[in-house]
Amino acid sequence: MKVLVVDNEKGFASVLTNHLRRRKIEADSACSAAQALEYVRKFQPDVLVLDLQMPDISGLDVFRQIKVLDSTIEVILVTGNGSFDMVIACMQLGAFDYLMKPIDLNHFLDTITGAFENRMRALKERSHTFR
C-alpha cells in the first residue's frame, strides 16, 4: 500500500507519514497542490490523504486534478476548519471519506485500510471488465 499525505502544515503531514511508515506502509508527503500533483505522477499512491486548505489552489480543485490523473486513487479528505461545503462537493465527486482534525490515529489507519481495500476491489473489477 502506498499513501500520499497532502497537507499545508508540514509538521502535521510528517506526523501522519511517520505513523504510516512505522506500520510498514509506504508513505510520502507533500505540502502544496503543485507538489501533490507531481508526487501523484511519480509516487503513484493507492490512497491520498488531502487537506482541503491548500495555499496555492482549493482542495476541491486539487481533488479534481488528482482524479483526472488517476481516477482509481482513493482520496480521504482532511479538514480542520469545518469547510463542509467543500467536503460535500468532494464526497459527491467520489471521495472515499473525510476526517476532522485533530485526527484519531487508529481511526486514520482504519480509514486508510478501507480506502486501499476499496481501490483493490475496483482495480480487480476493472481488470475483469477488460478481459
Side-chain angles (χ1 to χ4, degrees):
M1 177 186 340
K2 292 169 76 172
V3 179
L4 178 62
V5 178
V6 181
D7 197 296
N8 64 329
E9 296 176 40
K10 196 172 193 169
F12 181 77
S14 291
V15 166
L16 294 183
T17 301
N18 289 334
H19 185 69
L20 294 169
R21 288 176 179 163
R22 283 193 301 273
R23 276 139 189 87
K24 307 295 186 228
I25 296 170
E26 190 174 349
D28 210 337
S29 62
C31 296
S32 71
Q35 190 180 34
L37 294 168
E38 178 185 330
Y39 276 37
V40 165
R41 287 182 190 97
K42 290 190 316 191
F43 184 62
Q44 299 179 334
D46 299 300
V47 179
L48 186 116
V49 179
L50 175 63
D51 184 3
L52 290 175
Q53 296 300 310
M54 299 305 296
D56 41 358
I57 64 174
S58 79
L60 181 59
D61 289 337
V62 176
F63 177 84
R64 286 182 177 134
Q65 290 181 41
I66 291 206
K67 285 298 192 172
V68 167
L69 289 173
D70 185 344
S71 64
T72 67
I73 294 174
E74 290 293 350
V75 179
I76 299 168
L77 309 169
V78 176
T79 186
N81 65 358
S83 54
F84 287 109
D85 290 340
M86 201 179 304
V87 168
I88 290 168
C90 289
M91 295 298 289
Q92 290 172 337
L93 290 172
F96 180 78
D97 203 350
Y98 74 95
L99 302 171
M100 296 292 297
K101 291 180 182 178
I103 292 177
D104 174 275
L105 293 177
N106 290 324
H107 182 63
F108 174 68
L109 282 173
D110 290 344
T111 304
I112 286 184
T113 301
F116 177 72
E117 290 169 354
N118 199 55
R119 181 170 195 247
M120 292 301 102
R121 273 192 301 275
L123 289 173
K124 185 176 182 179
E125 288 171 11
R126 180 183 277 187
S127 72
H128 288 302
T129 303
F130 291 117
R131 287 185 182 179

